[in-house]
Amino acid sequence: MLGPQCCENPPVLNPLSGSGHVEKLGGLDVYVSGSPDSNKCVLLVSDIYGYEAPNLRALADKVAASGFYVVVPDFFYGDPYDPSHQDRPVPVWIKDHGPDKGFEDTKPVLEAIKNKGIIAIGAAGMCWGGKVVVELSEEELIQAAVLLHPTYVTVDDIKDVKVPIAILGAEDDFLTPPALVKQFEEILASKPEVGSYVKIFPNVSHGWTTRYDINDPEAVKAAEEAHKEMLDWFVTYVK
């Protein structure tokens, strides 16, 4: 379940952030970055704060610079979690925005992406988005997956993964603690037919890859190390 760590360090949302643009795709508003002529795509599935988070869009632009067409959907229909709404805590908000719904909403987006001539799609999910991405990998709707400090992901989910998957966990994470990430690693090691990579990053907390302080050099460095691992995975398997 979602807990306090899932809500820490909320971003200041900015609909104008990033060097890309927003358009409609598969029925959702999406932030798009990169060349539409690329035949390979990376889908970024946000945490509960949604697709207007500046650090997330900066990551999309970084991935796009490596030759990918990057799509960041607004799975929350303009209604990301807002910690200032104390009468609507996460357990209430999530009833309207469960990851199972996000998974279903992804399907028409993927179809629209393929209609652009894309032949290979990778997906990365942060926190809430990790559950969406693991479900995509179970159904083989993507070619590769990366989970960054995921939430809701279970041992049974990992048992059903069918595409190459990288899992990047945090040393300090009550939602998906290192012990659970180690279980994921053991399961994947027993599935040699599925490429896998699992790493627990030291001295970081849940959310470190997108909800970092851009003025904190150590936080930026830790986030960028994870970004590089993610990008390397997609360069290897999405082509």
Side-chain angles (χ1 to χ4, degrees):
M1 62 177 292
L2 295 175
Q5 272 192 328
C6 209
C7 311
E8 290 177 351
N9 305 317
V12 177
L13 302 183
N14 181 357
L16 301 179
S17 59
S19 60
H21 67 275
V22 173
E23 63 180 65
K24 282 283 187 185
L25 198 64
L28 296 183
D29 286 336
V30 301
Y31 175 79
V32 172
S33 188
S35 172
D37 297 324
S38 177
N39 63 1
K40 53 189 180 179
C41 172
V42 168
L43 183 79
L44 296 183
V45 187
S46 74
D47 61 18
I48 60 176
Y49 291 107
Y51 86 136
E52 292 181 351
N55 286 357
L56 178 61
R57 290 192 175 185
L59 176 57
D61 295 342
K62 182 189 299 186
V63 175
S66 292
F68 293 96
Y69 181 68
V70 184
V71 175
V72 190
D74 176 16
F75 287 106
F76 308 136
Y77 297 85
D79 182 38
Y81 174 67
D82 184 345
S84 70
H85 291 174
Q86 296 183 4
D87 59 340
R88 199 173 179 225
V90 171
V92 176
W93 176 88
I94 201 74
K95 291 178 181 178
D96 295 322
H97 302 296
D100 288 348
K101 184 177 185 301
F103 168 66
E104 293 300 329
D105 285 346
T106 307
K107 293 177 181 178
V109 174
L110 293 177
E111 286 305 311
I113 290 171
K114 292 175 184 175
N115 289 339
K116 290 179 176 288
I118 300 291
I119 60 173
I121 303 172
M126 302 82 179
C127 189
W128 179 95
K131 181 68 169 183
V132 175
V133 170
V134 82
E135 291 188 358
L136 294 173
S137 69
E138 291 171 29
E139 299 292 330
E140 294 184 272
L141 296 176
I142 53 177
Q143 278 65 58
V146 179
L147 310 184
L148 304 99
H149 42 87
T151 307
Y152 291 124
V153 176
T154 68
V155 164
D156 286 340
D157 284 325
I158 301 301
K159 287 179 179 177
D160 291 335
V161 164
K162 297 182 178 65
V163 304
I165 186 168
I167 303 175
L168 308 181
E171 182 179 44
D172 177 16
D173 194 332
F174 294 109
L175 298 161
T176 303
L180 181 57
V181 175
K182 285 293 186 183
Q183 288 186 57
F184 294 165
E185 183 176 33
E186 291 168 3
I187 291 164
L188 291 168
S190 71
K191 295 162 61 81
E193 72 280 5
V194 176
S196 63
Y197 174 76
V198 179
K199 181 175 179 178
I200 297 171
F201 283 71
N203 306 313
V204 296
S205 300
H206 179 88
W208 93 96
T209 66
T210 51
R211 297 210 299 271
Y212 56 90
D213 180 354
I214 61 172
N215 297 310
D216 181 339
E218 287 302 312
V220 171
K221 180 182 177 183
E224 290 181 342
E225 287 175 359
H227 299 165
K228 183 180 185 303
E229 300 269 20
M230 180 192 78
L231 186 55
D232 287 349
W233 193 254
F234 288 139
V235 167
T236 300
Y237 288 104
V238 181
K239 54 188 179 181

